[in-house]
Amino acid sequence: MSISLRRIGILGILFIHTCIAFPVHASEVPENLSGWLETHCASCHDSTLPEGGLDVKSLSWDLDDASTFEQWVKLLDRVTRSEMPPSSEPQPTAEARLGFIESLQKPLIEKNLLSNTTHGRTSIRRLNRREYERTVQSLLDISTPLQQFLPEEQPVNGFDTVSDGLRFSPLHMERFVEAASEALQAAMRFTAPPKTIDKRFHFIEQEGVLKNVEDEHPVVALTDNAAVLFTNASYISKVHGLDIESAGVYTIRVRCWAHQSPDRPVIARLQAGNYGLGTDRYLGMFDALPDQPQEFDLNVRLGKGDYLYPAPDDLTLDPENKGVWNVGGKEYKGAGLAIEWIEVKGPNEPQWPPASVRRVFGDVPIVPRERSVWKNHEHVSFEPKSDNPTSDAESLINDFAMRAFRRPLKPGDAQPFLQIAKQSLESGASFEDSVRLSIRAILCSPKFLILDEQPGRLDAFALASRLSYFLTSTMPDDELMKSAASGELLDDEVLRQQTERLLRDPRSDDFISSFVGQWLDLNRINATNPDTKLYPEFDDSLKHSMIGETHAFFREVLDNDLSVSNFIDSHFTMLNRRLAEHYGIPNVQGQGFQKVSLDGDSIRGGLMTQASILKVTANGTVTSPVLRGAWVMSRLLNQPPPPPPPNVGAIEPDTRGATTIREQLALHSNDPTCSACHANFDPAGFALENFDVIGGWRTRYRSQDKGDAPDYKLHGRYIWEYKLGQPIDASAELPSGESFASVREFKKLLAKERITVAKAVTEKLLIYATGSRIELADRLAVDEILKRSESREMGLRTIIHEVVQSDLFRSK
């Protein structure tokens, strides 16, 4: 019998070799390993002095124990990187070190591969709350938010897709039932057609505006046909008379312009709130041009009870450096947002009952009731009409289960759900309610919640699901399922075509927002609020622009298959006017993101100098080289620093300007053990010290006490909130001995780590896509992906294609 070497792959060859070369179940640490550890490690790592918590003399050789296995892998890595023994101790010869590495690596990889062959790399993995929401929305053709009903996931290795963090509990099951019930309530809409809104709200007549105008000290002004907002207070600009009774997608159109702002546009931001839910969310923003009435429209989902309010952002003060609160809206000469009207139309339903009903009831006739009934807190005017309820229920449930389980049904798969419907019908329940019970049970069943992956090579349907959840965060679409049903998806070229199709699909925006949000910590953008006195220029428009830049940048690199070295530094970035002004980059118009070329000596370019990254790596008051350095090492180089020792306190922010962060950190890490570790990641943080907590460039720290008054203006006025303190020092020395004086020089040094960055990105993509961390036995496969990507200069799109083609992706 002949076996294809391509089928075995490089790991398979290594597995065959190591099975012969070394026994994996030795009862004691092999003598050649224990002797090396005794000679080179025991002086620092024994029972009397277990530095780092490691006692090599008592280290077990039970490789079936996960923690023991990990200890040996960490030891292997430290010896490989020449971190053990430390440079202060006598060093083994290069030959002795290599012999130890090979002798230890072989049994570890053998054990790793043996476990993967038996159980697979990825343990049982269920849909996370994000995937559950998107999958149910796809199944039922609804847009109802569902994540709010489900417990938050605990990310492992940085991602919410990793199986080790996706647990089941009684609470999970309760919440899945609740979410499924909410989804079916939204999908099975048998009410009368919803009350539609098609109304124009003239702002000069708005209740909040008129009440404010009548105040003793109004902060709005009226023109002949518009109300001028000089503040973003929602109680003034809330659209009164708008009653959203039915959730759905609405079209909103706004007619507005910049008032008393001859030299620059005014940002018009649209928000939605809900008193009952206590929520407030951003819908979009655009530039209102000076004295030129324009109409802007957008389609957004609004829920029952939502309200709307527009808000101006980034306004300049009047020529006398006064704000509207000082002089009142009637006399104020500063910039404002003039709104003539807001128009709301919707919900946009092309048919009724909606298409979501057909996702459940197929071709069963939907007919008007003779008279409406009150059910589930609403008037029901339609119902599904079946002449053969038992037969129709069986057909509908089988069809829905096959779609929900993302594969053909196996014998008995649908039987429990058919039995639910049958018993419900026999008890006298309606056809509609009986089907609803069964569908709800399907949406809470393990066959729906768990991805169906068996050890070994994935079958076509499992591969379709893995690919779809990787690149769209939802179930496979019809085309992908057809490719799986025919078996063509298992062909390399067909798989490549389907990967390319999904990368071009608008749904890949979900991949970008999810992967980038977790990889780069963008999901923590709201974790801190910048101090309003130290950073008065920060507003919601700037925050949303920060996130938009990073998403658009990743999209640009992906769409054009640019090298991942652009993540270190690039000759371009993606900007809108708000962010460009924050960066001091001229001639960028509009709030849509556009590719902007950077000067050769620009401080921007790459990920590290993007405002979103600089914000999530600061605490809102001061910056920390520790946080930023750890971010660079863990996110771009995949070399996360170890956790700090116990009882090590954090540095307290000094907003008085008495000391610099460098001085505070020197005191904080004066312990030799601490300083040795900090030396590995603090330099990368110091390189970014010229960037403040919201990503602005600075040459001096901001202070609330000591320092000089700024000699520049903010929004056309002099700055009184903060002072300029001590100068920034962005220099540092890397562990390699190389030094730098600025972020520009640091980027040039980091560019030498292009391969390391490409490897880090590849590993992050594999973790996210397969739901499993990178194990020792996976490292050669990662190297193979990079090797196959070299001809395209390790372009991001190429790497994703090679990830999908890899054995790691195509096997459990």
Side-chain angles (χ1 to χ4, degrees):
M1 180 178 68
S2 63
I3 303 176
S4 166
L5 289 181
R6 176 172 175 79
R7 180 76 173 179
I8 296 176
I10 191 168
L11 293 182
I13 296 172
L14 184 59
F15 175 68
I16 293 172
H17 173 71
T18 54
C19 280
I20 300 171
F22 209 98
V24 73
H25 293 299
S27 57
E28 297 180 355
V29 177
E31 186 175 345
N32 60 338
L33 298 181
S34 61
W36 199 91
L37 295 175
E38 175 68 31
T39 302
H40 298 290
C41 304
S43 61
C44 295
H45 299 280
D46 60 11
S47 57
T48 58
L49 186 65
E51 189 171 317
L54 175 63
D55 175 8
V56 296
K57 291 186 177 181
S58 63
L59 189 57
S60 168
W61 189 244
D62 180 11
L63 299 186
D64 288 320
D65 180 73
S67 60
T68 300
F69 185 90
E70 285 304 312
Q71 277 191 302
W72 282 106
V73 172
K74 289 178 181 177
L75 194 153
L76 171 67
D77 288 342
R78 296 203 64 185
V79 173
T80 302
R81 294 194 298 262
S82 297
E83 295 174 0
M84 183 185 288
S87 57
S88 58
E89 298 292 326
Q91 297 294 301
T93 65
E95 183 179 3
R97 184 184 295 275
L98 181 60
F100 174 81
I101 291 170
E102 290 180 345
S103 297
L104 176 55
Q105 184 171 258
K106 287 180 179 180
L108 293 180
I109 291 179
E110 175 191 344
K111 176 60 185 174
N112 207 170
L113 287 172
L114 182 61
S115 175
N116 290 350
T117 300
T118 305
H119 306 290
R121 291 178 64 252
T122 307
S123 57
I124 294 175
R125 182 159 76 99
R126 67 163 170 82
L127 302 180
N128 59 37
R129 64 202 293 259
R130 173 176 47 80
E131 293 166 338
Y132 181 91
E133 176 185 79
R134 285 165 171 69
T135 303
V136 173
Q137 289 173 342
S138 298
L139 266 175
L140 297 175
D141 195 12
I142 59 175
S143 58
T144 306
L146 298 173
Q147 291 190 54
Q148 59 188 323
F149 296 100
L150 304 176
E152 290 195 18
E153 314 293 1
Q154 294 298 318
V156 173
N157 290 102
F159 295 105
D160 63 5
T161 58
V162 178
S163 58
D164 291 345
L166 296 170
R167 302 300 185 185
F168 274 109
S169 69
L171 175 62
H172 279 94
M173 295 313 301
E174 289 176 12
R175 296 294 180 83
F176 280 128
V177 172
E178 188 177 357
S181 298
E182 183 73 14
L184 289 172
Q185 183 70 8
M188 298 168 64
R189 299 298 306 279
F190 293 116
T191 64
K195 178 182 177 182
T196 59
I197 298 172
D198 186 355
K199 187 174 181 180
R200 180 174 292 180
F201 300 87
H202 292 273
F203 250 66
I204 200 170
E205 302 171 354
Q206 279 291 294
E207 180 180 324
V209 170
L210 294 177
K211 281 185 177 180
N212 184 262
V213 170
E214 295 170 358
D215 286 348
E216 183 178 347
H217 193 76
V219 293
V220 299
L222 298 181
T223 69
D224 290 340
N225 61 345
V228 182
L229 303 178
F230 298 109
T231 174
N232 57 15
S234 62
Y235 71 91
I236 296 175
S237 61
K238 174 188 172 183
V239 180
H240 286 267
L242 175 63
D243 185 12
I244 303 295
E245 295 185 1
S246 298
V249 176
Y250 289 75
T251 299
I252 303 170
R253 178 171 288 118
V254 184
R255 182 175 172 85
C256 60
W257 58 89
H259 177 77
Q260 296 179 170
S261 182
D263 300 326
R264 64 197 297 266
V266 165
I267 293 177
R269 174 166 50 90
L270 191 63
Q271 301 278 133
N274 190 297
Y275 292 124
L277 299 176
T279 59
D280 191 283
R281 67 186 191 279
Y282 164 87
L283 299 178
M285 65 180 180
F286 38 83
D287 268 351
L289 300 180
D291 300 317
Q292 297 181 34
Q294 291 175 287
E295 295 179 14
F296 303 93
D297 59 65
L298 64 163
N299 292 319
V300 297
R301 187 185 190 281
L302 297 178
K304 184 177 181 179
D306 278 357
Y307 61 86
L308 296 175
Y309 68 93
D313 261 344
D314 197 30
L315 296 175
T316 57
L317 297 188
D318 73 2
E320 296 181 3
N321 206 35
K322 295 178 180 178
V324 68
W325 300 99
N326 303 116
V327 299
K330 291 181 180 179
E331 306 299 327
Y332 187 58
K333 302 302 180 183
L337 174 65
I339 301 178
E340 184 175 347
W341 47 257
I342 288 183
E343 190 175 82
V344 181
K345 293 183 179 181
N348 302 329
E349 292 286 356
Q351 65 187 69
W352 197 263
S356 58
V357 170
R358 291 296 172 198
R359 290 297 183 94
V360 178
F361 290 98
D363 295 330
V364 172
I366 308 298
V367 301
R369 285 178 174 268
E370 291 184 6
R371 64 179 188 177
S372 296
V373 297
W374 182 253
K375 186 178 181 181
N376 296 326
H377 308 292
E378 58 187 9
H379 287 285
V380 177
S381 301
F382 295 87
E383 64 180 340
K385 190 70 172 178
S386 171
D387 294 330
N388 193 338
T390 302
S391 176
D392 282 344
E394 181 176 353
S395 176
L396 294 174
I397 291 166
N398 276 315
D399 177 70
F400 190 88
M402 185 175 68
R403 289 189 290 118
F405 299 163
R406 305 170 289 275
R407 56 168 174 77
L409 296 182
K410 301 173 184 176
D413 272 351
Q415 192 55 42
F417 314 109
L418 297 173
Q419 190 65 24
I420 289 173
K422 182 180 178 181
Q423 290 177 351
S424 178
L425 288 169
E426 290 175 349
S427 69
S430 69
F431 174 71
E432 173 195 338
D433 288 344
S434 299
V435 171
R436 183 193 295 262
L437 280 174
S438 293
I439 299 301
R440 187 180 69 174
I442 289 173
L443 295 179
C444 302
S445 70
K447 291 181 175 66
F448 171 68
L449 296 173
I450 295 175
L451 296 174
D452 185 16
E453 299 175 348
Q454 303 303 316
R457 199 77 161 179
L458 296 179
D459 65 31
F461 291 101
L463 182 60
S465 284
R466 179 169 285 192
L467 179 64
S468 186
Y469 282 106
F470 175 30
L471 297 180
T472 68
S473 296
T474 189
M475 61 187 291
D477 60 13
D478 290 343
E479 182 173 339
L480 197 53
M481 288 297 285
K482 288 178 182 177
S483 181
S486 68
E488 293 177 350
L489 187 62
L490 299 177
D491 178 79
D492 293 355
E493 185 54 35
V494 173
L495 179 59
R496 190 174 297 276
Q497 292 170 2
Q498 289 294 331
T499 302
E500 184 64 24
R501 181 179 69 85
L502 294 185
L503 286 173
R504 294 178 183 276
D505 192 302
R507 293 175 301 162
S508 63
D509 286 344
D510 288 334
F511 157 64
I512 292 177
S513 62
S514 175
F515 176 74
V516 173
Q518 296 182 78
W519 170 39
L520 303 180
D521 284 336
L522 292 196
N523 291 347
R524 297 182 60 252
I525 196 75
N526 293 319
T528 60
N529 290 315
D531 187 294
T532 55
K533 289 186 177 180
L534 289 174
Y535 301 97
E537 66 267 50
F538 182 78
D539 56 34
D540 277 351
S541 296
L542 179 58
K543 180 180 69 176
H544 290 290
S545 298
M546 292 175 175
I547 301 170
E549 176 191 20
T550 307
H551 285 174
F553 184 81
F554 189 90
R555 169 62 78 183
E556 181 71 14
V557 174
L558 173 62
D559 285 353
N560 295 284
D561 198 23
L562 303 180
S563 172
V564 293
S565 61
N566 283 279
F567 293 149
I568 305 172
D569 198 8
S570 61
H571 298 300
F572 73 93
T573 191
M574 309 296 290
L575 299 176
N576 62 1
R577 182 181 64 83
R578 178 69 181 93
L579 194 59
E581 289 185 352
H582 182 59
Y583 287 172
I585 296 175
N587 303 320
V588 177
Q589 304 300 322
Q591 295 307 322
F593 284 89
Q594 54 203 274
K595 186 175 182 179
V596 176
S597 297
L598 300 172
D599 295 335
D601 63 344
S602 175
I603 56 170
R604 304 294 171 177
L607 290 172
M608 290 182 296
T609 55
Q610 292 184 8
S612 62
I613 305 303
L614 296 162
K615 182 181 185 303
V616 300
T617 54
N619 66 8
T621 304
V622 296
T623 55
S624 168
V626 176
L627 294 177
R628 286 180 171 172
W631 185 94
V632 171
M633 298 301 293
S634 61
R635 298 300 182 268
L636 295 185
L637 301 177
N638 206 17
Q639 298 172 10
N647 303 319
V648 174
I651 298 176
E652 293 298 324
D654 179 10
T655 60
R656 301 167 303 156
T659 57
T660 66
I661 189 67
R662 188 181 290 267
E663 292 168 338
Q664 296 173 64
L665 189 57
L667 295 173
H668 178 77
S669 58
N670 58 6
D671 183 279
T673 303
C674 294
S675 60
C677 189
H678 276 266
N680 289 320
F681 55 88
D682 283 359
F686 280 121
L688 301 174
E689 267 301 274
N690 278 118
F691 299 95
D692 61 31
V693 305
I694 58 172
W697 178 259
R698 64 187 178 183
T699 56
R700 298 169 69 179
Y701 291 102
R702 294 185 182 184
S703 164
Q704 293 180 3
D705 185 9
K706 300 178 181 296
D708 305 318
D711 58 359
Y712 49 83
K713 292 184 177 182
L714 169 66
H715 299 157
R717 66 172 174 82
Y718 293 105
I719 297 170
W720 54 266
E721 291 95 338
Y722 62 83
K723 297 179 180 180
L724 298 179
Q726 300 188 52
I728 305 291
D729 179 4
S731 65
E733 181 177 313
L734 298 173
S736 63
E738 297 173 295
S739 61
F740 58 86
S742 68
V743 67
R744 296 181 183 90
E745 294 179 9
F746 176 70
K747 284 183 179 181
K748 291 178 181 178
L749 294 176
L750 192 60
K752 299 177 183 179
E753 301 294 330
R754 170 176 168 269
I755 302 299
T756 304
V757 171
K759 184 176 181 180
V761 173
T762 301
E763 291 185 350
K764 298 293 186 182
L765 286 166
L766 278 166
I767 293 171
Y768 178 85
T770 65
S772 178
R773 60 191 177 87
I774 300 299
E775 299 177 333
L776 179 64
D778 301 332
R779 296 177 183 178
L780 288 175
V782 172
D783 291 340
E784 186 67 20
I785 290 172
L786 294 178
K787 183 178 180 180
R788 293 197 299 268
S789 304
E790 281 181 339
S791 62
R792 301 297 297 271
E793 298 189 0
M794 297 183 182
L796 178 59
R797 203 177 193 88
T798 295
I799 289 177
I800 288 177
H801 273 293
E802 295 304 333
V803 163
V804 172
Q805 293 288 328
S806 70
D807 284 344
L808 296 183
F809 185 87
R810 299 170 75 166
S811 302
K812 183 179 187 294

